[in-house]
Amino acid sequence: MKLYVSEGNPHCIKVLAVLELTEVKCDVEVMNHEERVVPFLTRPALPVLLLPSGQHLFSPNTICKYLFDISGQAATNASNQWLEWDATDLQPAVLQALHMMALQGKSADAAAVLKGPLNCLEQSLSKRSTPFLSADIITVEDIVLWAALYPILSDSSFEAGNFRFVRSWFERVGVLSACQTAAWRVLQGKGIEALKTFLQKQPAPQTQRRDTLTSSYTTEAEDTDHVMTEEEMEEAAQIWSEGLKDSSTVAQRKHPILPQEGKRNVLITSALPYVNNVPHLGNIIGCVLSADIFARYGRLRGWNLLFICGTDEYGTATENKAREEGLTPQEICDKYHAIHSAIYQWFQIDFDYFGRTTTQCQTDIAQDIFWRLHERGFLFEDTVEQLRCENCQRFLADRFVEGTCPYCHYPEARGDQCDKCGRLINAVELRNPQCKVCKETPVIRSSKHLFLDLPKLEGELEQWLERSIRSGDWTANARHITRSWIRDGLKPRCITRDLQWGTPVPHQDFKDKVFYVWFDAPIGYLSITANYTDQWEKWWKNPQQVELYNFMAKDNVPFHSVVFPCSLLGAQDNYTLVNNLIATEYLNYEDTKFSKSRGVGVFGDMAKDTGIPSDVWRFYLLYLRPEGQDAAFSWADMALKNNSELLNNLGNFINRAGMFVCKFFEGCVPEMLLNEDDKRLIAQVCWELKQYIQLLDKVRIRDALKCILNISRHGNQYIQVNEPWKKIKGGDSDRQRAGTVTGVSVNVACLLSAVLEPYMPTVSHTIRTQLQAPPSCANAMLQGTGTFICTLPAGHRIGTVSPLFQKLETEQIEALRKKFGGQQLEEEDVKEKTQSFSSSAVETKPSAAAEQITSVNADPEKAKQLTALVAQQGEKVRALKAQKAEKSVIGEEVTKLLELKKLLALAEGKTPEPSNQKGKKK
């Protein structure tokens, strides 16, 4: 084994101390902070332990635990709890405090940051009869926590306050020669000064507290615990003790749902997914899942709410798909509408109505809006140049043509929009255009079309936007994209297309055309609602009473913030316009794009086959929801979040609370006599609940999820400190204490079932069933600003308790990663093709090879397969270069790419070009 460390890196203190203490044989190499040891990480990370198997461990706590394990000192449950607490609570606070002390000279502020974690540690140590954290001897958690705190607590300028038990424990651990040697080796006797270089290269910790909420969408940051005052603790305990006042059954939804006087009437739309393909995880999180969370939350809050969606079925994409599959457009729509419906049902998306756009209502409403725009002078005719494929004998609508973006030079821009820079494009602006059906180069021809006169509506649009953005919740990207459109000045937008599959234009001069999908598709919100209820205008022509939320990915923003609102403003029919536009960034798959054709990524119809429950999929997608920047799905990270956050944190707490009731108190919630510890927990949980509500009211979905995990984390610490499993064996006083801790804990579990309902509905229902919770408990606690109350009073009998989550094993995850990565097939194909080429051409004499190459006949089918492989391998090389991978790794993949290009040339009947390898300069 080999351990890589660096001087001035506080994370290295713990691993060096553990290495010496356990006397495990291991070479140690000192690196600088910039050197990369683990090739597949996107940034340097130290310390790193290289195992004999060739695997790398690069989590300091994991390295410490591993060294203890192989020395014969296996970690206990208590050890695992402390290591989890260190990683999630202590380390973020320590790094923030170190940054303040070393780079800003703010020791007082650092003390405030560390007060919460030190207080938790003090409470635990004060209740122990052992000299160390969980035993009479030093264990892994003692070294890990001591090393984390050493740079700060050993600094003379740091005044932590009166933490007597922490100081005593810290000194006991610190006398070990292993600890002293490790600290000297890393800090060189310079104290915090030695850490400056390391800290300057780290992202600056976010110092904004979570109780200072703004409407802006800040980047994700670790947060310090809110320190409870005596007043907060007493008030929270008083409200909690009053209990649930109304345990009546919650009223069921009655359809049709219509706006009501005196109620908050909320209309939620999710961007209509194209019917022509199966949605992948990025599509699901970008619109339908995010909207579902907010809809479920709104219902719990008692809002009068309607959530509608449906498949977008007209347009070029559908015609294209129908041609590919040899079906009619209507058959394609029927097929994929059923697929979409089944996928969303499995993901538990709770629409009030899921419809489609190929209906008579769509035709009637779209044509009505068209005539109103026409009569008011907001439409005009113009002759436009279009791309026409002479080979296919047709004008090429947007998605039938592809080429290079004229703005950012992205080579796969569509004829209506570039997926990379987001700019709208007229197809004739594309460079090197190509017909997607036959790959021929199209020509430019003229055609007469109708245009929406956006410049005429620009003034009215700006006035409305100012009101909507000021009063509503628009995500930062939605505001930015919209303002960039306005700043550049609006241009007329064509609303007709030379297609057959679409809503027909009712004008006599354009009877051979249909409406352009981006004029037509948003009207689908109205027509789908009209198919749900004939009183649809109460939602869509009622801006005084209705709040409209639109959920979508960022590429849909301009159509929802500019084009569609202009259509409705121009129609002058008192339409409801969007108040809150919620847009996500993109979700990628393992640092590449989802691709159905290449078998890359998880698509909606495949998630079910993984054996992972839909609630776990929902949790992970929402945990990494791309709110401020693009995010990437990762199998390894999914397993980590499942095993740490769901299994060890959330599930562990809820299961322990319920099991204590069953095991120690025969299934009945015991009497609860609150002391200061209990009141502090109740206040902490109440504070997190209020944060959860403030965040979700602002549609901060990912941040609100962190509040749920914080609640269970507080609960785990509370149980760990109070140890009811020990106290139940003691005298009457201890048994009473065990009862209180158990009763409070199971009530926290009941609250968790409520706040989990929008995120993990099945798990939420399972918890409430196990606890036999009152039906109205969730609604009661989520009213107003949030109220944590005792919903399971003393004497309440709970049901059978069982684990909520299963561990995701490494082998299972690795198998899924290979299955959905397109990686295994790609590597096998590359290996097979390159070996075949080598044996047939390269390894013969040069003259013989040349003879073979020139005599090969073209093989179009093989060329087609190899073209896909070349593109795939090229994408892999580009990704590695972007990640700044090791040169040797990139070199290997480039070699594969070159060999594939040679094979492609052979299949095309061409002579491969010789490799252009530059020699090294001497």
Side-chain angles (χ1 to χ4, degrees):
M1 289 193 301
K2 193 169 190 176
L3 179 65
Y4 298 89
V5 296
S6 59
E7 292 179 357
N9 180 341
H11 300 306
C12 293
I13 299 176
K14 60 181 71 172
V15 295
L16 287 170
V18 168
L19 182 65
E20 182 164 338
L21 187 68
T22 57
E23 298 181 343
V24 173
K25 291 184 178 180
C26 181
D27 295 329
V28 178
E29 183 172 341
V30 180
M31 317 284 287
N32 67 47
H33 301 303
E34 299 294 328
E35 290 185 271
R36 194 182 287 269
V37 178
V38 186
F40 53 82
L41 290 183
T42 56
R43 55 180 297 176
L46 291 170
V48 171
L49 182 64
L50 177 61
L51 303 181
S53 64
Q55 290 183 309
H56 296 87
L57 299 181
F58 44 88
S59 162
N61 287 6
T62 302
I63 294 172
C64 292
K65 185 179 173 184
Y66 177 81
L67 293 173
F68 259 89
D69 284 347
I70 62 175
S71 71
Q73 304 176 59
T76 63
N77 286 335
S79 299
N80 291 330
Q81 286 285 336
W82 277 117
L83 294 180
E84 176 74 8
W85 179 77
D86 171 74
T88 56
D89 280 44
L90 182 60
Q91 277 298 334
V94 163
L95 287 175
Q96 188 172 330
L98 285 172
H99 194 274
M100 290 175 169
M101 291 175 68
L103 303 182
Q104 301 172 16
K106 297 179 179 179
S107 294
D109 290 348
V113 166
L114 272 178
K115 186 174 181 181
L118 287 176
N119 187 55
C120 177
L121 188 57
E122 177 78 3
Q123 289 182 56
S124 180
L125 288 166
S126 68
K127 292 175 170 59
R128 299 209 59 80
S129 58
T130 58
F132 299 106
L133 284 174
S134 59
D136 291 319
I137 59 171
I138 288 277
T139 51
V140 62
E141 61 267 34
D142 292 292
I143 302 294
V144 166
L145 268 62
W146 175 89
L149 290 167
Y150 176 80
I152 293 176
L153 295 189
S154 61
D155 191 278
S156 59
S157 67
F158 183 79
E159 296 181 5
N162 186 26
F163 292 104
R164 180 166 59 91
F165 290 96
V166 171
R167 285 285 183 187
S168 178
W169 162 83
F170 183 75
E171 290 169 3
R172 276 196 297 276
V173 179
V175 298
L176 290 174
S177 62
C179 293
Q180 294 173 4
T181 302
W184 178 265
R185 191 166 183 177
V186 173
L187 303 181
Q188 297 289 305
K190 299 175 185 176
I192 277 184
E193 285 292 313
L195 304 179
K196 278 189 174 181
T197 302
F198 171 82
L199 293 170
Q200 285 168 346
K201 296 182 183 298
Q202 306 305 307
Q206 174 64 253
T207 57
Q208 181 184 10
R209 299 174 68 91
R210 279 184 296 143
D211 52 348
T212 310
L213 287 173
T214 67
S215 61
S216 63
Y217 282 64
T218 55
T219 55
E220 183 178 338
E222 295 291 349
D223 306 299
T224 56
D225 284 334
H226 177 72
V227 180
M228 295 296 144
T229 65
E230 292 292 333
E231 292 78 12
E232 285 176 309
M233 290 164 57
E234 290 299 328
E235 181 184 6
Q238 176 61 38
I239 294 171
W240 183 82
S241 299
E242 291 174 3
L244 184 64
K245 296 175 182 176
D246 180 14
S247 59
S248 59
T249 302
V250 178
Q252 298 296 311
R253 269 182 280 172
K254 293 182 179 179
H255 296 287
I257 301 166
L258 298 173
Q260 299 177 23
E261 287 285 345
K263 283 243 185 182
R264 183 178 182 186
N265 299 299
V266 176
L267 176 58
I268 296 176
T269 70
S270 175
L272 307 182
Y274 279 126
V275 78
N276 67 303
N277 217 330
V278 179
H280 57 63
L281 298 180
N283 304 139
I284 290 168
I285 185 59
C287 50
V288 294
L289 180 53
S290 294
D292 180 64
I293 302 305
F294 193 66
R296 287 176 178 273
Y297 169 74
R299 295 183 191 118
L300 285 172
R301 297 275 279 154
W303 303 342
N304 185 50
L305 183 148
L306 179 67
F307 176 25
I308 62 109
C309 188
T311 43
D312 175 11
E313 301 191 349
Y314 283 134
T316 316
T318 306
E319 278 196 14
N320 202 16
K321 193 68 173 179
R323 180 175 286 101
E324 287 176 11
E325 297 197 15
L327 300 172
T328 67
Q330 186 61 61
E331 288 171 338
I332 280 289
C333 292
D334 294 343
K335 172 184 174 180
Y336 281 95
H337 177 79
I339 291 172
H340 277 262
S341 298
I343 289 169
Y344 302 139
Q345 184 176 1
W346 187 80
F347 272 97
Q348 303 176 77
I349 310 299
D350 193 13
F351 302 114
D352 288 303
Y353 186 74
F354 184 73
R356 52 200 306 187
T357 57
T358 50
T359 65
Q360 188 59 44
C361 285
Q362 176 74 11
T363 301
D364 295 342
I365 296 171
Q367 291 182 349
D368 177 66
I369 291 174
F370 164 80
W371 280 123
R372 294 184 70 87
L373 288 167
H374 189 274
E375 290 163 3
R376 287 156 181 76
F378 294 118
L379 299 180
F380 66 87
E381 298 178 11
D382 198 6
T383 300
V384 299
E385 292 182 329
Q386 284 183 267
L387 294 177
R388 177 179 173 84
C389 180
E390 298 296 349
N391 187 52
C392 295
Q393 287 294 297
R394 59 180 293 163
F395 282 104
L396 297 180
D398 306 327
R399 289 176 180 265
F400 278 108
V401 63
E402 194 172 83
T404 301
C405 174
Y407 302 105
C408 71
H409 310 297
Y410 178 60
E412 298 175 13
R414 302 195 310 263
D416 60 344
Q417 187 176 22
C418 174
D419 282 338
K420 185 174 182 182
C421 69
R423 297 282 290 269
L424 293 187
I425 301 169
N426 286 321
V428 292
E429 297 175 329
L430 288 173
R431 297 174 185 173
N432 306 315
Q434 194 177 63
C435 173
K436 290 192 70 174
V437 176
C438 69
K439 305 303 181 185
E440 292 294 322
T441 301
V443 296
I444 296 176
R445 294 284 184 269
S446 296
S447 179
K448 191 169 72 170
H449 284 277
L450 283 164
F451 283 74
L452 177 62
D453 198 345
L454 292 178
K456 232 183 213 186
L457 291 156
E458 189 166 349
E460 190 176 353
L461 177 74
E462 285 184 346
Q463 292 177 17
W464 165 74
L465 279 171
E466 185 180 351
R467 293 193 303 271
S468 182
I469 292 175
R470 184 178 65 248
S471 61
D473 286 314
W474 286 52
T475 53
N477 56 359
R479 296 195 303 270
H480 173 75
I481 292 169
T482 302
R483 284 169 179 157
S484 69
W485 264 58
I486 300 296
R487 184 179 62 246
D488 294 343
L490 297 184
K491 307 291 189 297
R493 191 73 183 160
C494 186
I495 67 165
T496 55
R497 284 294 184 269
D498 289 295
L499 292 173
Q500 294 179 329
W501 185 246
T503 301
V505 179
H507 195 291
Q508 180 62 28
D509 295 343
F510 298 89
K511 59 184 180 182
D512 59 339
K513 301 184 191 298
V514 299
F515 287 129
Y516 170 43
V517 68
W518 271 117
F519 172 80
D520 186 58
I523 296 172
Y525 299 133
L526 284 62
S527 72
I528 289 168
T529 310
N531 277 289
Y532 166 69
T533 172
D534 57 7
Q535 301 179 72
W536 66 274
E537 291 184 352
K538 290 185 177 180
W539 284 108
W540 284 105
K541 294 185 180 181
N542 190 4
Q544 292 76 29
Q545 283 190 315
V546 174
E547 293 177 66
L548 174 57
Y549 285 80
N550 288 162
F551 285 80
M552 69 202 67
K554 63 181 178 182
D555 57 336
N556 285 340
V557 167
F559 304 104
H560 288 79
S561 66
V562 176
V563 179
F564 185 44
C566 278
S567 299
L568 298 183
L569 287 168
Q572 297 176 359
D573 204 13
N574 195 39
Y575 278 107
T576 302
L577 300 178
V578 62
N579 307 94
N580 312 274
L581 203 157
I582 315 300
T584 62
E585 300 291 315
Y586 294 137
L587 178 70
N588 296 317
Y589 180 81
E590 299 272 7
D591 296 325
T592 189
K593 287 185 176 182
F594 288 85
S595 172
K596 189 82 171 178
S597 62
R598 292 191 290 113
V600 175
V602 180
F603 286 72
D605 55 348
M606 303 171 180
K608 183 178 181 180
D609 298 332
T610 63
I612 299 172
S614 64
D615 267 11
V616 175
W617 281 107
R618 287 173 63 104
F619 165 80
Y620 182 59
L621 289 173
L622 293 161
Y623 191 96
L624 54 79
R625 184 173 183 262
E627 293 181 359
Q629 60 186 12
D630 291 355
F633 173 90
S634 161
W635 283 108
D637 188 54
M638 184 183 190
L640 177 65
K641 296 301 186 295
N642 177 83
N643 296 345
S644 61
E645 294 291 6
L646 291 184
L647 191 63
N648 293 340
N649 177 15
L650 187 65
N652 181 55
F653 169 72
I654 294 170
N655 190 250
R656 290 171 92 189
M659 288 301 294
F660 290 159
V661 176
C662 295
K663 185 176 180 180
F664 301 149
F665 302 98
E666 299 179 341
C668 285
V669 177
E671 182 184 11
M672 292 161 276
L673 301 177
L674 305 183
N675 68 11
E676 187 175 331
D677 275 2
D678 311 316
K679 293 176 182 178
R680 179 178 293 105
L681 174 71
I682 290 169
Q684 285 174 326
V685 170
C686 189
W687 187 81
E688 293 287 355
L689 173 61
K690 291 179 186 299
Q691 298 301 301
Y692 168 91
I693 287 175
Q694 287 184 47
L695 288 164
L696 272 184
D697 277 354
K698 294 289 185 182
V699 207
R700 299 274 291 276
I701 293 172
R702 187 187 63 199
D703 290 342
L705 178 57
K706 305 297 173 63
C707 294
I708 299 174
L709 300 174
N710 285 339
I711 290 173
S712 59
R713 196 166 287 120
H714 286 310
N716 274 316
Q717 292 168 5
Y718 170 74
I719 287 177
Q720 202 63 31
V721 167
N722 285 282
E723 301 177 326
W725 62 91
K726 287 187 179 179
K727 288 186 169 55
I728 196 67
K729 301 174 184 176
D732 291 344
S733 175
D734 278 352
R735 288 183 61 82
Q736 173 62 60
R737 183 69 196 134
T740 297
V741 172
T742 298
V744 170
S745 296
V746 81
N747 270 281
V748 173
C750 190
L751 170 65
L752 284 169
S753 76
V755 292
L756 274 171
E757 201 281 334
Y759 293 87
M760 306 179 77
T762 298
V763 168
S764 169
H765 178 75
T766 301
I767 297 168
R768 285 203 289 276
T769 300
Q770 291 184 4
L771 300 181
Q772 296 293 300
S776 62
C777 65
N779 298 73
M781 289 190 280
L782 292 179
Q783 298 306 303
T785 59
T787 309
F788 178 34
I789 50 180
C790 178
T791 53
L792 308 179
H796 173 87
R797 180 169 291 279
I798 71 171
T800 303
V801 175
S802 59
L804 297 168
F805 306 106
Q806 296 291 326
K807 183 178 181 181
L808 292 177
E809 300 291 349
T810 304
E811 297 80 8
Q812 177 188 4
I813 288 299
E814 184 60 22
L816 290 170
R817 188 188 69 79
K818 288 182 178 179
K819 178 179 179 181
F820 293 104
Q823 180 84 7
Q824 192 173 27
L825 178 61
E826 173 192 345
E827 289 182 350
E828 287 174 358
D829 283 351
V830 170
K831 185 177 180 181
E832 178 184 342
K833 301 297 183 186
T834 52
Q835 283 180 348
S836 172
F837 179 77
S838 296
S839 61
S840 64
V842 174
E843 293 177 2
T844 61
K845 294 179 181 179
S847 57
E851 287 175 11
Q852 277 190 301
I853 290 170
T854 54
S855 65
V856 172
N857 293 322
D859 185 340
E861 187 59 35
K862 185 175 288 186
K864 184 178 178 181
Q865 296 173 0
L866 285 166
T867 299
L869 278 172
V870 167
Q872 194 171 345
Q873 185 67 11
E875 188 174 319
K876 184 174 183 180
V877 169
R878 287 192 294 275
L880 288 170
K881 288 180 177 178
Q883 296 165 14
K884 296 183 179 178
E886 294 289 336
K887 288 184 178 180
S888 60
V889 175
I890 296 174
E892 289 178 9
E893 300 305 327
V894 168
T895 300
K896 291 179 184 178
L897 177 60
L898 293 174
E899 296 294 348
L900 279 171
K901 286 183 175 180
K902 290 178 182 177
L903 287 168
L904 176 58
L906 282 171
E908 292 174 339
K910 301 175 184 176
T911 302
E913 294 181 7
S915 299
N916 183 22
Q917 295 182 348
K918 297 179 181 179
K920 292 183 180 180
K921 293 182 180 180
K922 295 183 180 180

